[in-house]
Amino acid sequence: MNIKRAKEEIRNSIEAYLSRDEYGEYRIPPVRQRPLLLIGPPGIGKTQIMEQIARENKLGLVSYTITHHTRQSAIGLPFIREKEFGGKTYSVTEYTMSEIIASVYEKMEETGLREGILFIDEINCVSETLAPAMLQFLQCKTFGNQKVPQGWVIVAAGNPPEYNKSVREFDVVTLDRIKKIDVEADFAVWKEYAYAAGIHNAIISYLELKKDHFYKVETTVDGKLFATARGWEDLSQLLQVYETLGRTADREVIYQYIQHWRIAKDFANYLDLYNKYKKDYRVQEILQGRISDAAVDKIRRASFDEKLSVIGLLLSALHELFAEAHHADQYVTGLFGQLKNYKNLLGGAAQELSGEEAQRLLEAVAGKFAKEFARQKKAEHITREGEHVQSEIQKTLERYTVSLKADLPQDGQQAFVQIKEWFSAEPQKRSRALAQADAALNFAFDFLERAFGDSQEMVVFITEMNTDYYAAWFVDVNGCDRFYKYNKSLLFSERQQGILKELADIEELL
């Protein structure tokens, strides 16, 4: 299955394992909660989906790459303890707590989370001395003599033998005690993630043209040649920073991430063309409504690859505007919620409170928010964007608190009026961001309609819009008549193709 389906299967299993009955006991006893084992190529997102599941389900997460461990750190160190049996004293060997088990307890202490996921990566690539401990771990859910705490689900991951020479096969006894999930690379699924994660659009549009270059591993006389999802994502980060620094990445730099000479060379050539199209078509001017006849005529006569690249440039610029609008929306919504909490604390007797009391109440709201924000960060239950939004909200609340203290109002009612006035400028920022994105989207449609009309290029544009999380959010919140029009046509076309295929299958069957 692909990584998206695997994520859903893992989430369902964890929810089932942590489900309790009316007596507060786990419906599936811990002894029957099989560890989940993900087997798939390196770099397809096995670790990332564990982070996402833990964040989305508010669970703790402790991750270890087991190949970095020795037998001692995994199961603990031996020590001698005196014990008495039948009136005689004996020296008995015991073990200290495993570093891994200790990390689970530390996570519980730090976050207050009693349930979570213990994720062990590269579990089938351990050394010979550690292999028995890993089998014991999967079979008995223990490291040495220490059990994994109840409420913590074991998920492990490994690579198939064709990707790693040190892979060890599991015996039937072990396989009969785990829930094995085989995962494969899938560009269509990765593309959804890529849009949400802000992967460089040159990479997305290139792989749309060369899907077979998304994930490729070849064995040659010169060794392994490979391109992986992890490599493309890391390369994306570099390209984005290089652009801010005014630098370019050539074939040699790309090969440092995409270690397949033919693919690295091909992408380097495409990247040169991509940057050329960015200058030739002046995408930012198009999205501001300055659409030249020359640009329309040029794109009409261009090759299909060039057309797709220009559509990719439009989508990339729109993506940034949609993401900025989403950020502004989340910030204003979150800040409004905190001020609503403040209003509730003031209550109906706001006029009876002194200015100092009103200021202290706002300080309490800001302090509570900061404490919860810190807890979420420590538990790793917040996305990078969410962290940026909450950081802005915290700074704004602190600014309001300092300003209110510097110029104390007469009573609580005046304090709230003052804060309300400060807040009034914030929704305008959200409105401006939405309006800018809306105008740009309509100008993009103007350009595409003049260049292509209702054609396959428009289908590509609409399909990619549906794949982009921020684009889908924007259309849902703001609306766009032309998007709905073309999307409806696209859905009808897909349904029509589906019906024709069903008829063809029936005819073939008859």
Side-chain angles (χ1 to χ4, degrees):
M1 62 179 69
N2 60 47
I3 198 71
K4 184 178 182 180
R5 171 73 197 284
K7 176 183 174 182
E8 192 62 29
E9 184 59 34
I10 294 168
R11 188 206 304 275
N12 290 342
S13 297
I14 290 173
E15 287 181 0
Y17 288 172
L18 300 182
S19 174
R20 296 175 183 264
D21 60 20
E22 62 272 23
Y23 302 105
E25 297 175 350
Y26 291 113
R27 286 190 168 89
I28 300 177
V31 71
R32 296 297 174 204
Q33 294 179 9
R34 290 190 170 201
L36 292 99
L37 176 62
L38 279 172
I39 297 293
I44 62 171
K46 298 188 291 290
T47 304
Q48 286 178 334
I49 64 167
M50 300 318 306
E51 294 171 354
Q52 292 167 12
I53 291 169
R55 182 170 63 243
E56 293 163 8
N57 290 271
K58 307 302 180 188
L59 297 169
L61 176 65
V62 173
S63 298
Y64 273 97
T65 300
I66 202 64
T67 50
H68 298 168
H69 280 265
T70 63
R71 184 175 182 275
Q72 287 74 25
S73 63
I75 69 172
L77 292 169
F79 66 95
I80 305 299
R81 174 169 295 199
E82 299 291 325
K83 287 193 174 183
E84 188 174 301
F85 300 108
K88 293 184 178 180
T89 301
Y90 298 88
S91 296
V92 179
T93 301
E94 292 193 7
Y95 284 85
T96 58
M97 182 178 285
S98 157
E99 177 189 331
I100 297 171
I101 297 294
S103 294
V104 174
Y105 283 109
E106 285 174 2
K107 177 66 75 170
M108 293 165 70
E109 291 292 325
E110 288 175 357
T111 64
L113 298 168
R114 313 310 295 177
E115 296 178 331
I117 301 167
L118 173 57
F119 179 62
I120 306 295
D121 199 7
E122 298 184 6
I123 195 165
N124 59 346
C125 301
V126 296
S127 64
E128 187 174 346
T129 57
L130 195 52
M134 289 303 98
L135 294 178
Q136 180 197 30
F137 168 65
L138 290 175
Q139 293 175 13
C140 308
K141 302 176 187 174
T142 62
F143 276 114
N145 59 357
Q146 301 292 328
K147 274 190 167 293
V148 176
Q150 280 199 14
W152 281 74
V153 177
I154 297 170
V155 183
N159 299 323
E162 61 264 31
Y163 296 102
N164 196 320
K165 292 180 181 178
S166 61
V167 162
R168 294 175 176 276
E169 293 289 339
F170 291 120
D171 56 36
V172 174
V173 175
T174 303
L175 290 172
D176 195 35
R177 286 175 167 82
I178 62 175
K179 186 171 180 177
K180 184 168 173 280
I181 301 173
D182 291 307
V183 190
E184 61 184 4
D186 187 318
F187 172 67
V189 169
W190 182 80
K191 188 168 68 171
E192 292 181 30
Y193 163 78
Y195 274 118
I199 300 297
H200 197 290
N201 193 264
I203 291 174
I204 297 175
S205 55
Y206 170 76
L207 293 176
E208 187 63 43
L209 293 167
K210 305 285 181 71
K211 293 183 178 66
D212 60 322
H213 289 181
F214 167 58
Y215 204 103
K216 186 181 285 289
V217 178
E218 296 177 3
T219 302
T220 70
V221 292
D222 298 320
K224 292 278 189 183
L225 301 178
F226 57 90
T228 69
R230 181 188 291 124
W232 288 115
E233 183 166 3
D234 291 347
L235 176 60
S236 168
Q237 297 272 320
L238 182 81
L239 292 178
Q240 288 165 343
V241 174
Y242 265 28
E243 285 180 358
T244 63
L245 298 174
R247 299 185 180 184
T248 57
D250 58 18
R251 181 177 61 181
E252 283 72 23
V253 172
I254 292 168
Y255 179 73
Q256 294 163 15
Y257 295 85
I258 308 302
Q259 296 181 44
H260 191 296
W261 269 117
R262 182 168 56 83
I263 296 176
K265 179 182 177 182
D266 195 44
F267 178 68
N269 293 336
Y270 177 83
L271 188 60
D272 288 341
L273 286 173
Y274 184 88
N275 291 326
K276 179 179 180 296
Y277 298 150
K278 188 185 293 187
K279 294 177 182 176
D280 289 352
Y281 287 95
R282 300 180 181 177
V283 168
Q284 291 299 333
E285 291 185 9
I286 291 173
L287 297 182
Q288 292 168 7
R290 300 198 298 275
I291 304 170
S292 68
D293 292 336
V296 172
D297 184 60
K298 181 177 173 59
I299 194 66
R300 278 179 185 158
R301 293 183 288 103
S303 66
F304 188 65
D305 286 6
E306 183 172 335
K307 290 174 181 177
L308 286 183
S309 297
V310 174
I311 290 171
L313 286 165
L314 287 169
L315 288 164
S316 179
L318 287 169
H319 171 88
E320 291 182 12
L321 294 173
F322 297 147
E324 288 171 9
H326 182 267
H327 182 95
D329 176 79
Q330 295 297 298
Y331 165 72
V332 170
T333 303
L335 181 58
F336 177 78
Q338 294 306 310
L339 297 184
K340 191 175 179 181
N341 292 340
Y342 178 59
K343 184 180 180 182
N344 291 337
L345 282 178
L346 289 173
Q351 289 181 323
E352 299 175 10
L353 296 174
S354 68
E356 288 183 355
E357 289 173 324
Q359 189 271 334
R360 283 197 295 270
L361 284 177
L362 181 60
E363 205 170 67
V365 169
K368 185 178 180 181
F369 179 85
K371 186 176 180 180
E372 175 60 18
F373 179 27
R375 187 197 69 77
Q376 288 183 358
K377 285 201 294 185
K378 186 171 285 188
E380 299 176 357
H381 284 169
I382 188 167
T383 64
R384 186 177 181 183
E385 185 200 11
E387 188 172 332
H388 293 166
V389 169
Q390 294 210 38
S391 178
E392 285 187 36
I393 293 172
Q394 182 177 334
K395 289 176 182 176
T396 301
L397 289 173
E398 290 171 353
R399 188 174 72 250
Y400 287 177
T401 302
V402 170
S403 299
L404 206 61
K405 189 174 184 178
D407 188 14
L408 279 175
Q410 292 182 355
D411 54 37
Q413 183 65 35
Q414 284 192 4
F416 185 73
V417 169
Q418 180 63 71
I419 291 169
K420 193 175 178 182
E421 184 180 334
W422 290 333
F423 175 74
S424 62
E426 304 293 353
Q428 295 174 19
K429 297 176 185 176
R430 174 185 180 275
S431 298
R432 284 196 296 271
L434 287 170
Q436 185 180 3
D438 181 64
L441 178 56
N442 279 289
F443 287 136
F445 274 116
D446 288 344
F447 175 72
L448 293 170
E449 286 172 347
R450 285 179 59 184
F452 308 125
D454 188 357
S455 63
Q456 62 177 339
E457 288 82 6
M458 185 65 80
V459 170
V460 169
F461 181 75
I462 295 297
T463 302
E464 295 302 300
M465 283 271 293
N466 280 318
T467 305
D468 187 342
Y469 168 81
Y470 291 110
W473 169 85
F474 176 81
V475 172
D476 183 57
V477 169
N478 193 71
C480 179
D481 291 340
R482 285 196 278 185
F483 175 85
Y484 294 139
K485 170 189 157 186
Y486 289 112
N487 197 43
K488 186 177 180 181
S489 299
L490 172 61
L491 291 174
F492 176 78
S493 175
E494 288 177 346
R495 178 59 184 150
Q496 187 180 46
Q497 289 173 12
I499 292 170
L500 290 173
K501 185 178 184 303
E502 287 174 16
L503 290 173
D505 291 343
I506 292 169
E507 186 177 346
E508 184 180 340
L509 184 64
L510 294 174

